[in-house]
Amino acid sequence: MDVVTMIERAGGLSTRAALVAATSRQEVDRALREGAVIRTGQGRYALPGVSEAARTAHGMNAILSLTSAALTHGWEVKTPPQKPHVLFPRKRNIPPLWRDRVIVHRGDLTIDEITMGATNRELTLTQCLRLLPYDEALVVADAALRHGEEAALRRAVASVHGRGETKAQRVGAAARGESANVFESVTRAICHTVPGLHVEPQVVISSSTCWARPDLVDLERRIVIECDSFEFHASREGFRKDVRRYTLLVADGWVVLRFTWEDVMFRPAWVRALLLRVVGADARTLVHGAWPFTAWGDGQAPTNVRVSTQGTRVS
């Protein structure tokens, strides 16, 4: 077995000792000289195509966790971390230089809880459900379902006890594999904080005059919420079809709301205030632990948003 094949079978990461044992010292040194493998730390190697986050964690003899692990598994996250989340054994001494490069977490894992240099899928979901704010946790849970990890999500929800348990159960119950992307998941998370609003993703609406499958739909209140991105309307034909669909929906008695990526991601209080106004809820009404999005569900209602019949103002 050559060096590249050996390290590929190990998930793209390996120690020098393991590579030498499977091949030879000369082959490992030649692969290193030719750039077929790269050194990530003392006696630790990776394939060039492995992510920088994974190389960083491997070089520190640690593993990726939380959203960094989610990205390793191919799941989308709300915001990729600026520094990788890295899990170290509880008693490991971490040099100050390493602390500046990563977000440090502590925990002792078994070999079965590690895959591809990261926490395995179930443990990654468990940590994200327990530790991330509601909207970020929902994004990861939706992504996991899109990738067929329904059983892993179910086990992860059941494994969370004590702190974070209530939020984990809420996320598990709300997660939908039908949610198409991060944009839709975050919008739906905001909707979950609006009393009386119950939306589902990708629901088909069909009548004698209109057929549509909007991003989010509240069937009872006849509310349609579209997550509009500039890229989606790159063609004139796509733009024309969307305008016609929205017009037909309104003519059929639906309320159509359209939000941009920037507003959902960076002005969530404004989006929520508009939803409250449309639903007719009091802006002071709060679903306990739902707003603002916090890791532990102890947030309070936003104080800078006022809703009135004259309009929505954000100060």
Side-chain angles (χ1 to χ4, degrees):
M1 187 183 302
D2 61 63
V3 174
V4 172
T5 301
M6 171 63 188
I7 198 168
E8 283 177 344
R9 292 188 177 183
L13 305 166
S14 183
T15 63
R16 178 178 177 84
L19 292 176
V20 169
T23 57
S24 69
R25 188 182 305 275
Q26 292 76 18
E27 289 183 67
V28 173
D29 290 340
R30 182 170 62 251
L32 187 61
R33 288 195 304 271
E34 294 174 352
V37 299
I38 57 177
R39 183 177 180 273
T40 62
Q42 184 65 38
R44 309 185 73 80
Y45 298 139
L47 292 175
V50 171
S51 70
E52 182 179 353
R55 296 200 304 268
T56 298
H58 184 62
M60 297 175 178
N61 193 17
I63 64 169
L64 296 174
S65 64
L66 287 172
T67 50
S68 296
L71 290 170
T72 298
H73 298 309
W75 304 336
E76 298 83 357
V77 301
K78 181 183 177 183
T79 306
Q82 293 183 347
K83 296 191 291 185
H85 291 274
V86 175
L87 186 68
F88 292 89
R90 296 184 187 280
K91 296 184 179 180
R92 169 80 62 79
N93 180 41
I94 307 173
L97 180 62
W98 288 4
R99 292 179 178 274
D100 293 337
R101 297 173 58 194
V102 301
I103 303 171
V104 175
H105 302 275
R106 296 281 193 174
D108 297 317
L109 305 179
T110 66
I111 191 65
D112 293 335
E113 294 175 313
I114 303 171
T115 181
M116 298 187 299
T119 52
N120 66 18
R121 287 171 171 78
E122 184 176 331
L123 182 56
T124 298
L125 284 168
T126 299
Q127 292 182 337
C128 288
L129 293 173
R130 183 192 296 275
L131 300 175
L132 295 181
Y134 178 82
D135 59 337
E136 295 184 39
L138 185 65
V139 168
V140 174
D142 283 352
L145 289 181
R146 279 197 300 272
H147 289 80
E149 299 294 341
E150 182 178 354
L153 178 60
R154 187 166 55 248
R155 292 192 299 269
V157 172
S159 70
V160 179
H161 300 290
R163 196 177 192 188
E165 180 178 0
T166 300
K167 176 167 61 67
Q169 291 175 348
R170 286 182 57 228
V171 173
R176 297 289 187 272
E178 296 83 3
S179 189
N181 50 49
V182 171
F183 190 2
E184 285 186 23
S185 295
V186 177
T187 305
R188 206 167 84 257
I190 297 173
C191 291
H192 291 166
T193 72
V194 177
L197 183 61
H198 304 286
V199 297
E200 290 292 341
Q202 305 298 321
V203 175
V204 172
I205 297 173
S206 179
S207 71
S208 60
T209 57
C210 178
W211 187 97
R213 187 169 63 187
D215 296 326
L216 299 171
V217 177
D218 185 325
L219 287 172
E220 182 178 351
R221 290 181 176 271
R222 296 182 69 81
I223 295 174
V224 163
I225 299 173
E226 286 288 307
C227 304
D228 281 338
S229 61
F230 176 77
E231 292 80 4
F232 186 76
H233 297 116
S235 71
R236 187 173 185 85
E237 178 62 21
F239 176 71
R240 182 165 54 247
K241 287 182 178 179
D242 264 4
V243 170
R244 289 173 178 170
R245 183 172 66 250
Y246 298 145
T247 301
L248 288 170
L249 285 169
V250 172
D252 273 358
W254 292 86
V255 175
V256 178
L257 303 174
R258 303 171 65 185
F259 294 112
T260 66
W261 167 275
E262 290 79 9
D263 285 337
V264 167
M265 295 297 171
F266 307 121
R267 303 177 67 199
W270 181 82
V271 172
R272 181 178 189 258
L274 287 175
L275 292 171
L276 284 165
R277 180 184 173 193
V278 169
V279 172
D282 190 323
R284 294 168 296 181
T285 302
L286 176 68
V287 178
H288 177 67
W291 184 273
F293 297 124
T294 61
W296 307 118
D298 54 2
Q300 296 179 350
T303 58
N304 64 329
V305 179
R306 295 185 294 277
V307 180
S308 67
T309 56
Q310 285 72 42
T312 305
R313 298 195 301 163
V314 180
S315 57

